Amino acid sequence: MAAPLTRTAQVADVLKAGGQIMLTGNGRLLRLVDQAGADVPAWQKAISSAASKHKPATLKVAEVLEWIDTARDDIMRGDLLDAMDSLEMARTRIKALRDSRFAGTADNGGRG
């Protein structure tokens, strides 16, 4: 097994090559995967630092998916009001993502 990546720049290199940052099943830890989807061992601090600098949308998308999973679980329990609240949280996160993308396009003069 390769030594874990310890520096933000190392994680950024994986991201630039097509890797992604994902939340673990419990949503408390981050994991780094390469472009093929294989896990790349890396320190949590390096991953979170690279995510904030290079791919901030990755964590937001994962958060949206977590809210959608929560809504599914709410529905399975029969709690439709909680499901609606969870879906509203997902919708709010999606809107924020969309707004940030449009703001980024405006910042560079529309040359996206």
Side-chain angles (χ1 to χ4, degrees):
M1 179 177 207
L5 306 180
T6 60
R7 299 189 180 270
T8 302
Q10 293 171 311
V11 174
D13 289 342
V14 173
L15 295 175
K16 288 175 190 171
Q20 294 183 356
I21 296 171
M22 306 171 88
L23 290 174
T24 60
N26 65 11
R28 294 176 191 241
L29 295 176
L30 303 171
R31 66 179 243 219
L32 179 65
V33 296
D34 63 15
Q35 66 276 15
D39 283 318
V40 178
W43 286 10
Q44 288 295 299
K45 184 71 176 165
I47 297 173
S48 62
S49 180
S52 67
K53 292 179 182 178
H54 299 282
K55 286 242 184 176
T58 301
L59 295 177
K60 293 176 185 173
V61 168
E63 186 179 359
V64 168
L65 294 174
E66 289 290 322
W67 280 112
I68 291 170
D69 281 343
T70 300
R72 181 183 49 83
D73 293 342
D74 293 338
I75 291 168
M76 296 300 287
R77 281 194 339 264
D79 193 341
L80 298 181
L81 289 177
D82 276 357
M84 288 175 55
D85 289 342
S86 297
L87 289 172
E88 178 62 22
M89 293 297 290
R91 187 193 72 78
T92 301
R93 300 309 192 274
I94 291 168
K95 184 179 182 317
L97 270 171
R98 185 180 62 217
D99 292 347
S100 69
R101 285 188 183 149
F102 289 137
T105 302
D107 289 343
N108 66 14
R111 288 172 264 137

